[in-house]
């Protein structure tokens, strides 16, 4: 196991440790969406597929801490409307894994994040009230979230496109997010296993990153409980905007046929 941990040099951990810390902050509920940066950052030094495989066990550890920290703080109506559809989305992602371009996925998810963040900031500026729950929209965004989560752990923007306009209490929003993505990550274990991603090497590297993950999640939980509701959502919008630009930039190779 130790030989697996030290297979990559210092350059890998210089990228992986900040990536896992950012993901942990997001999993703890602060700056929701930052977790999407984990896979792209680690993919700077190893293949995207291996980066996603290494992060999944780490994400599951983060989920366990989040579930304990936010137990009882869940909007179950959102889970009931989104999670079954998310399982369908994961199935579609599994079935089409060899067909879907990572770059096009990044562009689509990035565009959703970017447009949604701008739209929501405008609504807040104009003092629009919270939207009402909608089972159809919940299922639609849930399926999309499951699909993009399977492809690149990028289920955040579709999930937020439905849940953020509801303007839930920040702790209920965070607790619901934790339950939703913990459930999704648990489901993803099966297809990732059959795709041959849980090798001894990958699991060894995952294990070495777990202490960093724990620190990140606990810091995220601490921050959520100490910042105001207004500041919490402003950070969420700005983070989504920045991540949207980053994803579109990362996927720009898919647009090369237009040049």
């Amino acid at each position: 196991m130790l030989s697996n941990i030290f297979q990559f040099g210092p350059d890998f951990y210089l990228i992986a440790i900040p990536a896992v810390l950012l993901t942990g902050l997001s999993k703890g509920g602060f700056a929701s969406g930052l977790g999407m940066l984990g896979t792209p950052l680690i993919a700077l030094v190893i293949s995207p597929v291996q980066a996603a495989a290494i992060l999944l066990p780490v994400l599951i550890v983060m989920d366990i801490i989040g579930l304990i920290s936010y137990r009882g703080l869940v909007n179950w109506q959102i889970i009931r409307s989104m999670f079954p559809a998310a399982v369908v989305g994961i199935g579609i992602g599994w079935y089409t894994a060899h067909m879907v371009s990572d770059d096009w996925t990044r562009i689509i998810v990035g565009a959703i994040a970017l447009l949604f963040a701008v739209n929501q900031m405008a609504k807040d500026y104009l003092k629009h009230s919270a939207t009402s729950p909608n089972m159809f929209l919940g299922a639609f965004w849930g399926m999309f979230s499951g699909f993009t989560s399977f492809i690149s752990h990028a289920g955040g923007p579709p999930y937020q496109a439905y849940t953020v306009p509801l303007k839930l209490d920040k702790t209920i929003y965070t607790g619901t997010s934790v339950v939703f993505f913990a459930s999704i990550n648990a489901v993803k274990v099966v297809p990732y296993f059959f795709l041959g991603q849980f090798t001894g090497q990958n699991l060894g590297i995952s294990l070495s990153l777990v202490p960093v993950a724990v620190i990140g999640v606990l810091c995220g939980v601490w921050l959520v409980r100490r910042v105001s509701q207004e500041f919490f959502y402003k950070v969420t919008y700005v983070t989504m905007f920045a991540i949207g630009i980053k994803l579109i930039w990362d996927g720009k190779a898919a647009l090369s046929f237009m040049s």
Side-chain angles (χ1 to χ4, degrees):
M1 187 71 78
L2 287 176
S3 62
N4 293 329
I5 293 174
F6 294 111
Q7 177 158 349
F8 294 125
D11 290 349
F12 169 79
Y13 285 98
L14 284 173
I15 295 292
I17 289 174
V20 172
L21 276 174
L22 289 173
T23 304
L25 286 173
S26 177
K27 281 289 186 180
F30 187 74
S32 182
L34 274 178
M36 289 174 52
L37 294 177
T39 300
L41 281 173
I42 296 177
L44 293 173
V45 288
I46 60 175
S47 76
V49 173
Q50 188 176 18
I54 287 169
L55 271 183
L56 183 55
V58 180
L59 292 175
I60 291 172
V61 172
M62 293 179 182
D63 290 333
I64 293 170
I65 300 171
L67 289 170
I68 294 171
S69 300
Y70 291 100
R71 60 189 180 279
L73 300 170
V74 184
N75 183 313
W76 290 106
Q77 182 180 7
I78 292 174
I79 301 298
R80 286 193 294 271
S81 66
M82 298 190 78
F83 178 66
V87 174
V88 175
I90 291 169
I92 295 171
W94 182 10
Y95 181 74
T96 61
H98 62 290
M99 310 176 196
V100 180
S101 162
D102 287 345
D103 285 333
W104 273 115
T105 300
R106 291 184 183 106
I107 288 173
I108 293 169
V109 175
I112 290 172
L114 194 61
L115 294 173
F116 168 76
V118 171
N119 180 60
Q120 197 59 36
M121 283 188 283
K123 284 184 176 180
D124 281 5
Y125 178 77
L126 297 172
K127 307 297 183 184
H128 282 207
S129 59
T131 60
S132 301
N134 183 299
M135 289 292 290
F136 174 77
L137 287 177
F140 172 79
W141 289 115
M143 183 172 67
F144 199 7
S145 181
F147 174 77
T148 55
S149 180
F150 179 83
I151 296 298
S152 60
H153 298 322
Y159 172 81
Q160 290 167 328
Y162 176 67
T163 55
V164 170
L166 300 175
K167 296 187 177 179
L168 304 170
D169 173 81
K170 62 181 180 179
T171 54
I172 298 295
Y173 171 85
T174 302
T176 304
S177 303
V178 167
V179 170
F180 179 74
F181 286 106
S183 303
I184 279 185
N185 287 334
V187 172
K188 279 156 52 176
V189 169
V190 175
Y192 267 71
F193 175 80
F194 282 108
L195 288 173
Q197 294 302 318
F198 293 135
T199 64
Q201 175 187 344
N202 287 346
L203 290 173
I205 298 167
S206 300
L207 179 63
S208 72
L209 294 170
V210 164
V212 181
V214 172
I215 293 170
V217 175
L218 293 178
C219 287
V221 171
W222 185 86
L223 285 167
V224 166
R225 291 176 174 171
R226 283 160 178 80
V227 301
S228 69
Q229 181 101 345
E230 182 181 3
F231 181 73
F232 175 85
Y233 278 106
K234 283 182 178 178
V235 170
T236 299
Y237 302 154
V238 171
T239 304
M240 287 187 69
F241 185 87
I243 287 171
I245 292 174
K246 173 73 165 58
L247 285 171
I248 292 171
W249 177 261
D250 287 348
K252 66 185 184 301
L255 303 176
S256 59
F257 71 94
M258 300 176 63
S259 59

